[in-house]
Structure formats: C-alpha cells, structure tokens
Amino acid sequence: LLANPDLGFDEESVDLQSEVASRLDPWRGLLGVTLMIDDEIASIRNSRVRDIGQVIEELISNSIRHGRSEKIDLKLMRAGNGNIDITAVDDATIPPPESISQYGLGTRIFNLASDGRWSIIRVGSSTVFKLRMSIEK
C-alpha cells in the first residue's frame, strides 16, 4: 500500500447514484440541491460514471463560485442512443458571460466529457446548464 497508494482506487466501480451523492456531499449546507436521477440509469456502473461525477462537481463549483447560487435543481436523464442528459438550473445572482474569452478547467472538463455538446444560458432569473454525454465508452 505504501509503495502504490493508488492501487485499486482507480478501478473501484461505483454506481451512478452513489457517485453523484459523493460529489454533492461536500456542498451540502452551502447549496440547496434538488436531485433527480432517472431510475433507468441510477445503477449504471462503468468508466463513464466517474466522468459524470467530475461534470457534476465542476458545475456545482461554478454555480457557487461564479454565479453565487444558493440552490440548484439537478437532473440526470437517459437521452437514448447511449447518451445521458445532465441539466442544472440554479438561482445564480451573477449571470454567465455572453461570450467566453478565456477557457478554464470547467470548459475543458465539459468539452472532454461531452464532445462539446453542452451549453449555459440565462433564462429569466435562472442559469440553465445542459450537457449531453455518452454513458458508454
């Protein structure tokens, strides 16, 4: 274990429901989260589950840091053809920029996970994030 502390960690398989819960737990108390995961995908266990967790963690972080959100509604739904849709609607008081002049870690994570199939827009007094990604690798 001391010679290779990561041994087995990367290979640990966890279902989607547990992965999302583990990514949301550190934010509880800082952000009110309403979570809905499609029953058809809640028990998925594959290499993409960790990628979904990274997307969730990054979008929650951005919602708080950049938008000053206090609550977020998060949905993970099967989209057909081996895809999943992640939708987040928050109460950000600071709207997202209309154009991105500088790309950060979040943009990179979202692009890699979704092959560029994501958007963030302002709708009324809410910020709406949508991302579609393959759940099969």
Side-chain angles (χ1 to χ4, degrees), residues 17 34-39 41 73-77 87:
Q17 182 82 38
T34 303
L35 174 64
M36 196 264 211
I37 299 178
D38 188 336
D39 289 339
I41 60 173
D73 295 326
L74 182 61
K75 286 184 185 178
L76 286 79
M77 305 295 293
T87 304

Side-chain angles (χ1 to χ4, degrees), residues 38 40-41 44 76-85 135-136:
D38 188 336
E40 290 184 42
I41 60 173
I44 289 175
L76 286 79
M77 305 295 293
R78 179 178 288 285
N81 296 325
N83 289 307
I84 181 174
D85 282 340
I135 54 173
E136 300 166 355

Side-chain angles (χ1 to χ4, degrees), residues 56-120:
I56 299 295
E57 189 167 347
E58 185 62 24
L59 80 87
I60 295 291
S61 172
N62 287 349
S63 181
I64 292 173
R65 290 187 309 135
H66 300 301
R68 306 282 190 255
S69 299
E70 293 182 0
K71 69 176 195 135
I72 190 166
D73 295 326
L74 182 61
K75 286 184 185 178
L76 286 79
M77 305 295 293
R78 179 178 288 285
N81 296 325
N83 289 307
I84 181 174
D85 282 340
I86 299 171
T87 304
V89 179
D90 68 28
D91 66 346
T93 58
I94 301 170
E98 291 192 23
S99 65
I100 299 172
S101 59
Q102 196 173 27
Y103 298 101
L105 177 61
T107 301
R108 183 171 167 84
I109 288 171
F110 301 149
N111 282 334
L112 287 172
S114 71
D115 296 323
R117 299 179 296 168
W118 67 277
S119 65
I120 184 167

